[in-house]
Amino acid sequence: MSEVKLSATLRDTFGKGSARQARRDALIPGVIYGHGNAPKHVNVEAHGLALALRTPNVLISLDIAGDGTELVIPKAVQKHPLKRSISHVDFLIVKKGEKVTVEVPVVTEGELAAGGNLLETLLATVTVEAEATHIPTEITVSIEGLEAGATVHASDLKLPAGTTLAVDGETAVLQVVAPQAEEPAAEAEAEGTEA
């Protein structure tokens, strides 16, 4: 995964007022932590950050004015409850070659077997351990031809090289269920009330 380069500035004012001012200036407040370093409070360019966060577990190279560069991944993103705009981001410092534990989206491909069966997603993401600069953006699983009663477990997922599961392999991720037939009694009752 390639890294996204964003610019940031250190911030020395805190609280709601300074956070609101930062957002008015098209900046998002954030905190950088990890590796035993003291937390750094920063403001990051809002537009570039919003675009970068469209990719899960994006690797970001933050160029902090007057303080060098930090390689980070987003750990927690807070959004406004109504506007859904980003209000704050926590970043975790990572080093090349270091393993990190992250949630990766599970994406399906293919079609279920004929018969109107339904696919039930039990886990939209799966926790994996991967090298910080090679975090997969998604894990694809084929559901081609699966019949009712079939279950895809975490151990069935084909992970990229260098990526390992951080959950029990027996954890169910997807399952195929048969469509539920309506009860004839309920249909008869509905017809009786219409008369």
Side-chain angles (χ1 to χ4, degrees):
M1 172 187 349
S2 60
E3 59 193 62
V4 175
K5 296 184 184 319
L6 295 176
S7 59
T9 56
L10 288 173
R11 62 185 167 102
D12 52 11
T13 57
F14 306 97
K16 289 183 182 178
S18 66
R20 282 190 194 111
Q21 183 59 50
R23 287 189 282 274
R24 278 193 293 271
D25 294 339
L27 299 169
I28 301 296
V31 177
I32 302 171
Y33 62 92
H35 287 274
N37 299 342
K40 288 183 186 177
H41 299 272
V42 294
N43 284 325
V44 183
E45 55 176 298
H47 182 70
L49 181 60
L51 291 176
L53 292 177
R54 289 183 179 176
T55 303
N57 304 309
V58 64
L59 188 64
I60 300 172
S61 176
L62 275 183
D63 183 14
I64 305 165
D67 197 57
T69 303
E70 291 283 7
L71 194 59
V72 298
I73 58 173
K75 247 347 219 182
V77 178
Q78 297 172 12
K79 294 189 174 186
H80 188 281
L82 299 175
K83 298 178 190 173
R84 303 305 299 153
S85 56
I86 301 166
S87 56
H88 189 275
V89 180
D90 288 351
F91 297 103
L92 178 66
I93 297 172
V94 294
K95 305 285 184 202
K96 292 185 189 292
E98 170 186 38
K99 292 261 189 181
V100 292
T101 302
V102 292
E103 297 277 326
V104 178
V106 175
V107 177
T108 60
E109 65 179 10
E111 297 291 326
L112 296 174
N117 295 327
L118 304 170
L119 181 67
E120 185 176 1
T121 301
L122 304 173
L123 289 178
T125 62
V126 67
T127 307
V128 298
E129 189 175 84
E131 202 264 306
T133 55
H134 293 92
I135 299 171
T137 54
E138 63 186 29
I139 295 171
T140 305
V141 60
S142 174
I143 58 168
E144 190 65 41
L146 291 182
E147 302 274 350
T151 302
V152 176
H153 295 94
S155 59
D156 299 327
L157 300 175
K158 289 182 178 40
L159 302 176
T163 303
T164 57
L165 279 177
V167 295
D168 182 5
E170 292 302 308
T171 303
V173 178
L174 304 166
Q175 68 182 11
V176 181
V177 293
Q180 301 223 345
E182 286 191 38
E183 294 181 23
E187 288 177 13
E189 187 179 307
E191 288 173 11
T193 58
E194 289 174 11

